[in-house]
Amino acid sequence: MAHRYWLMKSEPSAFSIQDLRKVRNQTTSWDGVRNFQARNFMRTMKKGDRVLFYHSNAEPPAVMGVAEVVTEAYPDDSAFNPKDIHYDPRSTPARSLWDMVDIKLVRIFPAPIPLDRLRQEPGLKRMELLRKGSRLSVQPVRPEEWKIVLKLAGS
DNA sequence: GCCAACGTTGGC
DNA sequence: GCCAACGTTGGC
């Protein structure tokens, strides 16, 4: 089965794509997702799936580069820690409510693709990111949308 | 900082 | 099961 495509949002003030470049193995666990739809998407991710890394709440908001799924969904242990900002007592190691995946940096685009640039592309009209009021932090990307975005990135 | 859009919570 | 109140997201 062919790999699937996704988009994942991060606020660069919390964790940027430059941060991802610096961490060990350029790999991080995508913890802290506390939205069921986003969690469910992560649960369907397969090793090798490709991810657009998006900076939200940024100036400008933009697609920054590409990452890949290297570990499929497993319990998000940040939910178990009362001191963690994402603590959720409903989730326990025995019965994990929240999951995460590991992603690894593939590449950072030479130039970010700003949100308003994406909006100019007729082929991206249906993209989840561009839907009015869309807030999903993990979302699927159609293959044809992926192709357009990568073309905009100059690949 | 504002606020529209959305998801979640909880009283009934 | 409804839905008002509330909290969050995220563009602007």
Side-chain angles (χ1 to χ4, degrees), chain A residues 24-91:
Chain A
R24 202 166 87 96
N25 293 336
Q26 302 189 330
T27 299
T28 193
S29 51
W30 206 258
D31 63 359
V33 170
R34 296 293 178 268
N35 170 283
F36 288 105
Q37 214 180 338
R39 180 205 67 180
N40 292 345
F41 282 135
M42 286 202 293
R43 285 182 173 175
T44 71
M45 288 182 180
K46 298 288 183 206
K47 215 182 269 197
D49 282 2
R50 295 275 155 154
V51 177
L52 294 173
F53 196 112
Y54 179 79
H55 279 179
S56 61
N57 258 316
E59 194 46 55
V63 177
M64 303 302 294
V66 174
E68 80 173 301
V69 176
V70 291
T71 307
E72 291 170 18
Y74 62 102
D76 177 351
D77 54 11
S78 71
F80 307 149
N81 179 2
K83 299 233 171 66
D84 196 288
I85 192 171
H86 296 298
Y87 175 59
D88 185 345
R90 297 175 299 173
S91 189

Side-chain angles (χ1 to χ4, degrees), chain A residues 6-8 50-54 63 65 127 141 146 149-150:
Chain A
W6 308 95
L7 180 144
M8 293 167 104
R50 295 275 155 154
V51 177
L52 294 173
F53 196 112
Y54 179 79
V63 177
M127 197 174 180
V141 172
W146 178 271
V149 173
L150 282 224

